[in-house]
Amino acid sequence: MDYLLLFTSALLAATLIPAQSEAVLVGLLLNGQSAFWLLIAVATLGNTLGSVINWWLGRYLEHFQDKRWFPVKAASLARAQQWFQRYGWGVLLLSWLPIIGDPLTVVAGVMRMRLLPFVLVVAVAKGGRYGVLAWVVMG
């Protein structure tokens, strides 16, 4: 049940739904009843899959950008696309950051980045964050 809770919170935290997967991970690490590396793997998997949802949204829902309810203004989307084009896929290494990380994963979909390289880069970034957090907590 601990792993399911962590997976779900990590998945939701990577989307636009607010969730605190870091707090769940820290609680489970301090509890000491779950395997350290398995917790990091589950959190990374959930958070990466949440980013894939963002990628999919960017890739397939862009044609709704002229609708009033669309959450991103056209000028902001254009700036994000230019930034992504300028710095390339490496910018996804910042996908773990609060506030800017999730929009970066949406823009990767808008920019039609291939899924496999996207998943690999985002998994490294997300896994790195969880690994450092776990190391700090357990260090």
Side-chain angles (χ1 to χ4, degrees):
M1 189 59 128
D2 291 344
Y3 296 113
L4 181 59
L5 174 66
L6 179 59
F7 177 85
T8 303
S9 69
L11 185 131
L12 291 175
T15 65
L16 301 177
I17 299 169
Q20 292 297 319
S21 61
E22 293 87 356
V24 175
L25 176 63
V26 168
L28 293 173
L29 285 167
L30 293 175
N31 184 358
Q33 294 183 11
S34 302
F36 177 88
W37 290 107
L38 189 54
L39 288 172
I40 294 170
V42 167
T44 300
L45 178 63
N47 212 242
T48 301
L49 287 177
S51 292
V52 169
I53 292 170
N54 292 343
W55 175 89
W56 181 85
L57 288 171
R59 181 137 183 157
Y60 295 105
L61 295 181
E62 182 187 13
H63 66 275
F64 292 114
Q65 74 181 16
D66 60 339
K67 304 291 184 191
R68 236 174 62 178
W69 54 265
F70 194 75
V72 180
K73 297 194 183 318
S76 298
L77 183 60
R79 276 193 308 275
Q81 286 175 303
Q82 289 171 346
W83 198 62
F84 193 88
Q85 216 167 17
R86 180 176 181 188
Y87 296 106
W89 62 264
V91 76
L92 288 173
L93 291 171
L94 301 176
S95 64
W96 65 272
L97 288 169
I99 301 171
I100 68 165
D102 298 337
L104 285 174
T105 60
V106 173
V107 170
V110 170
M111 298 299 291
R112 304 283 193 252
M113 182 175 181
R114 290 190 347 238
L115 183 58
L116 182 59
F118 170 83
V119 168
L120 294 175
V121 173
V122 169
V124 166
K126 306 286 187 155
R129 174 195 55 201
Y130 287 121
V132 168
L133 177 63
W135 177 73
V136 167
V137 168
M138 301 306 287

